Amino acid sequence: MDDRDNPDETDDTFDGRDATIFLVDASTPMFEKTSPSADGIEAKDDCPFILAIRCAFNTLRNKIFTAPHDSVAIVLFGTKKTKPNEKYGVYSNTYLLQDLQKPDCNAIIQLDDMLNKDGGIDEYVYAEDQQSISLADALWLCSSIFSKHKSKKDNKQIFLFTNNDEPHSKFSNKQKQAEKRIGDLQDGNVTIFLFPIGEAFDTSKVYQELLLSNENGSILSGSMTADELLSKTCRKGQKKRPVANLVFNLDSNTKFAVKLYNLIRPAPTPKRMQLDKRTNEIVKSVTTKFNAETAETLLPSELMKCTTVCGEKVRLDKNDLTSLKSKFAVGFTLLGFKPIEKLKFHLYLSPASFIYPDEDLIKGSRVLFGVLMDRCRIRGFTPLCILKSTAATKPRIVALLPHAEEDPEQPSVFGFHVIYLPFLNDVRKFNYGDLVGSTPVLKEDRKYITEVWRADRDQIDAAVAIVKKLSSKTSYTPAQFEDPALHTKWNTLEGLALGREDVESVDDLALPDCDCIDRRLGQRSTIFNDLVLPLGYQPQHSQPSALTPRDPQHEATVEDAARNGWLDKLKVDILKGYLSNQGVHGVSKMKKAECVQNIKIHLNLK
């Protein structure tokens, strides 16, 4: 994923895959049901242990489709379940539920049985002395699992789920052992995330001091419901990797490094694979190019590309294309500055990206980046740059918008939003007349003028009332709307793989709620229809006809222009529409002169 100036330099420390261990507390407090709320209503959530296993279950379900090359393991500590493990050794009150491996159907079925079968979790609860539980042994097992993992370049992380904020007393030998294990994990580039269950969880007792030395880890806020815990697990499991590591050129002598991120990307559908119907093996397609005149096979070096310039074809070989693409340097090149208010929202071209300073590529990048961002935010200016993300991509003109949102509940965001600006060819001219309709009117100088239909004040007020009544009070977030076709496909494949007969249906939340719309509007829609639509108008639900609907006034205008010799001043669409209504065939392929001639023949005019 890295994209540096030197293509020969590669980063061998990370190959783009995750190795995650779910470290779940299985002591007695984790199996206690959630207490009723203050108003007497019983909570619907399961016990904390079930919530943690459900997070692992959903992670496996998602990774088997989105990241099948990642590895997941589940380790329980503080449990009475024991099983000799020759691979990693024996650790007290620690049980390896699933070894570190790629997600498969067997692992998902095992967790599904634990969640849905009666008594599926009873054998894991620990009911003896809680003082014998050792967090250090559980972390030692995790360290052994990572050390014997085949891929040494994976992004290693541990998700710790517990509702016990004091597994052992402070300043005890067990805490010192846990600190030692956490230090060893940190030396092995292992990230630890604590998922505390329960709002009364006090991290200052033990875990804050334990995880304080882990620079990459973090302690999340307490979660009381399954939705909160699943959402946090999904966010931490999401891969936050830069699309490219680029150089930002302020001038010929000053530069710093940034990381380019894509905040939004489409969820792809699984690709189809062609299989041999006899052996059910994957069929590999091979393309061979040959000369149409001699039928000889062409080598890649013999292929030429061409482009048309001034009506002539110009041939380009591979070296010519490479030289054309290398005219712009890879990275950001500063062009100048513009006021932020000059950015026009309606010139939206594509989703914005995000850049953050890269201190590893160029030392001091964070200082220069911070100064540039601070000055732009205070003075209200946006830098204009040329962006070339890779050597093969086309250069783009972008505007860098400093992040100005400040949420007290969220950590401050440090960086620029990369707004892609359109070129001249990307901006289309807006023809208002083609959108709402227009009427050709014959003026006194015998010229037709197109008059656009415009609404009066009463019609505008009726439309404004409908828009205000149907406007949502909450802001739009893409996470609220899921693709039903994509989820239905995933659920169907999952049902086939797990042997399920019933496939969970997915509701299309993008469909309008007609009953709710009618209740909100009331008589406003009727008032709008009476003001805008003609009297007696009936909407046609049938398929539209290929012919232009007859308009006596329009046909009279064409016939009047034909008798007075003004047909060549009318638009081709008007002429073709008249001929279509008169039953003339082959109108779509006629040119304007042919349309004029056919109209004269139809009206018996010379």
Side-chain angles (χ1 to χ4, degrees):
M1 300 294 288
D2 290 344
D3 180 42
R4 304 177 185 269
D5 287 342
N6 189 356
D8 296 333
E9 295 182 5
T10 57
D11 188 5
D12 295 334
T13 61
F14 181 52
D15 63 355
R17 294 180 296 189
D18 288 340
T20 306
I21 296 180
F22 282 81
L23 184 58
V24 181
D25 185 2
S27 59
T28 304
M30 289 286 289
F31 291 85
E32 296 176 356
K33 295 286 185 178
T34 308
S35 59
S37 58
D39 53 3
I41 301 176
E42 294 184 359
K44 297 182 180 180
D45 295 331
D46 296 315
C47 65
F49 182 80
I50 291 293
L51 296 182
I53 296 298
R54 186 173 295 157
C55 290
F57 175 72
N58 282 273
T59 301
L60 285 173
R61 289 179 57 190
N62 294 333
K63 283 186 177 294
I64 202 171
F65 292 122
T66 59
H69 298 291
D70 290 354
S71 303
V72 180
I74 303 176
V75 175
L76 308 180
F77 72 97
T79 177
K80 69 178 181 181
K81 181 77 173 178
T82 58
K83 181 181 178 182
N85 195 317
E86 299 178 356
K87 184 177 181 181
Y88 304 112
V90 179
Y91 302 88
S92 61
N93 306 124
T94 303
Y95 178 71
L96 179 61
L97 183 63
Q98 293 182 4
D99 200 355
L100 192 62
Q101 59 185 352
K102 297 178 181 179
D104 56 9
C105 295
N106 296 329
I108 296 176
I109 292 175
Q110 181 184 7
L111 298 183
D112 190 32
D113 294 340
M114 290 178 59
L115 295 172
N116 298 322
K117 283 188 176 180
D118 295 336
I121 62 173
D122 295 342
E123 59 178 323
Y124 300 98
V125 65
Y126 187 76
E128 299 179 6
D129 184 16
Q130 299 290 324
Q131 299 298 326
S132 61
I133 299 175
S134 176
L135 179 61
D137 289 344
L139 295 174
W140 198 347
L141 176 57
C142 295
S143 179
S144 300
I145 293 173
F146 283 135
S147 63
K148 295 187 178 182
H149 185 46
K150 293 181 179 179
S151 180
K152 304 298 183 182
K153 303 176 185 178
D154 287 359
N155 180 30
K156 307 182 186 77
Q157 51 191 3
I158 297 176
F159 291 172
L160 175 58
F161 294 83
T162 181
N163 68 339
N164 185 10
D165 53 8
E166 194 173 7
H168 44 70
S169 59
K170 206 170 185 180
F171 305 111
S172 62
N173 291 331
K174 289 187 177 181
Q175 184 181 9
K176 295 180 181 179
Q177 294 174 0
E179 290 179 354
K180 174 63 176 175
R181 299 303 169 212
I182 290 178
D184 295 340
L185 290 171
Q186 182 180 0
D187 294 338
N189 296 322
V190 179
T191 306
I192 301 177
F193 297 101
L194 174 63
F195 292 83
I197 303 177
E199 295 180 352
F201 195 98
D202 188 3
T203 58
S204 62
K205 290 183 178 180
V206 173
Y207 285 102
Q208 186 172 0
E209 186 172 350
L210 282 177
L211 300 179
L212 188 62
S213 60
N214 195 321
E215 299 177 355
N216 298 326
S218 63
I219 301 176
L220 283 74
S221 58
S223 303
M224 290 294 294
T225 63
D227 293 338
E228 293 178 0
L229 201 59
L230 291 173
S231 176
K232 293 175 182 178
T233 308
C234 181
R235 289 201 300 267
K236 288 301 178 183
Q238 197 78 12
K239 295 179 175 62
K240 306 174 183 65
R241 299 177 188 140
V243 177
N245 293 34
L246 304 173
V247 174
F248 196 112
N249 299 286
L250 292 176
D251 54 31
S252 57
N253 299 322
T254 308
K255 61 180 65 177
F256 58 88
V258 295
K259 295 182 179 180
L260 180 67
Y261 295 88
N262 283 340
L263 303 182
I264 297 178
R265 66 180 182 90
T269 57
K271 297 181 180 180
R272 295 183 178 180
M273 301 175 63
Q274 297 180 351
L275 303 177
D276 190 346
K277 63 180 180 180
R278 296 169 296 180
T279 61
N280 204 30
E281 296 181 353
I282 300 176
V283 178
K284 184 183 295 185
S285 61
V286 178
T287 303
T288 303
K289 297 181 180 180
F290 59 92
N291 192 335
E293 297 178 357
T294 61
E296 294 181 355
T297 304
L298 297 177
L299 299 176
S301 59
E302 298 175 343
L303 298 178
M304 301 289 291
K305 294 185 178 181
C306 67
T307 183
T308 304
V309 179
C310 298
E312 296 184 2
K313 291 185 177 181
V314 179
R315 296 195 305 172
L316 300 172
D317 57 11
K318 186 177 180 180
N319 296 330
D320 295 334
L321 295 176
T322 303
S323 63
L324 288 176
K325 293 179 180 179
S326 62
K327 293 299 181 182
F328 291 88
V330 177
F332 288 86
T333 303
L334 182 64
L335 297 178
F337 297 88
K338 280 282 187 179
I340 295 179
E341 58 268 14
K342 295 294 184 180
L343 293 178
K344 300 178 181 179
F345 179 76
H346 65 273
L347 294 181
Y348 171 84
L349 191 63
S350 63
S353 301
F354 192 80
I355 57 173
Y356 187 82
D358 186 6
E359 195 73 16
D360 296 334
L361 188 59
I362 298 179
K363 297 297 182 182
S365 297
R366 188 177 181 86
V367 177
L368 277 175
F369 188 93
V371 172
L372 177 63
M373 180 178 173
D374 182 65
R375 291 296 90 192
C376 291
R377 180 186 297 178
I378 293 177
R379 298 186 179 183
F381 277 82
T382 173
L384 295 181
C385 305
I386 294 178
L387 169 60
K388 201 169 186 296
S389 56
T390 63
T393 56
K394 299 178 181 178
R396 304 286 297 273
I397 299 179
V398 297
L400 305 183
L401 184 65
H403 186 86
E405 297 181 7
E406 295 183 1
D407 189 351
E409 299 181 358
Q410 299 290 338
S412 58
V413 180
F414 180 67
F416 280 101
H417 293 281
V418 181
I419 310 298
Y420 294 92
L421 302 180
F423 291 101
L424 180 61
N425 296 336
D426 296 326
V427 181
R428 301 180 181 179
K429 294 182 179 180
F430 179 71
N431 194 339
Y432 185 77
D434 294 341
L435 179 65
V436 301
S438 58
T439 304
V441 178
L442 184 63
K443 296 298 183 180
E444 296 179 355
D445 55 353
R446 296 183 178 182
K447 292 183 179 180
Y448 281 92
I449 303 297
T450 302
E451 290 189 357
V452 179
W453 300 343
R454 298 190 179 275
D456 55 24
R457 175 49 54 185
D458 294 336
Q459 294 173 341
I460 295 175
D461 294 340
V464 169
I466 292 177
V467 172
K468 287 184 177 180
K469 200 62 180 178
L470 295 181
S471 298
S472 177
K473 297 181 180 179
T474 59
S475 60
Y476 165 77
T477 54
Q480 296 176 347
F481 302 92
E482 297 179 344
D483 187 356
L486 184 61
H487 280 271
T488 301
K489 194 166 191 175
W490 289 133
N491 292 342
T492 303
L493 294 176
E494 183 182 15
L496 292 174
L498 300 180
R500 296 176 179 174
E501 296 181 357
D502 298 332
V503 178
E504 183 181 357
S505 61
V506 180
D507 297 332
D508 190 355
L509 301 178
L511 294 177
D513 188 352
C514 298
D515 296 335
C516 179
I517 292 175
D518 293 339
R519 288 194 304 269
R520 285 190 178 187
L521 290 181
Q523 297 297 323
R524 293 177 180 85
S525 59
T526 305
I527 296 174
F528 177 81
N529 292 337
D530 294 341
L531 291 173
V532 175
L533 302 178
L535 183 63
Y537 172 81
Q538 295 293 334
Q540 298 180 0
H541 300 286
S542 59
Q543 294 292 333
S545 175
L547 299 179
T548 305
R550 288 182 175 273
D551 186 354
Q553 183 179 1
H554 174 71
E555 292 183 0
T557 303
V558 175
E559 294 174 359
D560 181 63
R563 293 187 177 92
N564 292 278
W566 307 328
L567 279 177
D568 54 345
K569 297 182 180 180
L570 297 180
K571 292 184 178 180
V572 180
D573 296 338
I574 298 176
L575 302 178
K576 289 184 177 181
Y578 175 83
L579 291 174
S580 299
N581 292 331
Q582 301 302 322
V584 179
H585 299 287
V587 178
S588 59
K589 298 181 180 180
M590 292 184 183
K591 297 182 179 180
K592 186 173 184 179
E594 296 175 347
C595 292
V596 173
Q597 185 64 24
N598 280 278
I599 292 175
K600 291 181 178 180
I601 295 174
H602 178 73
L603 298 176
N604 296 323
L605 299 175
K606 294 183 180 180

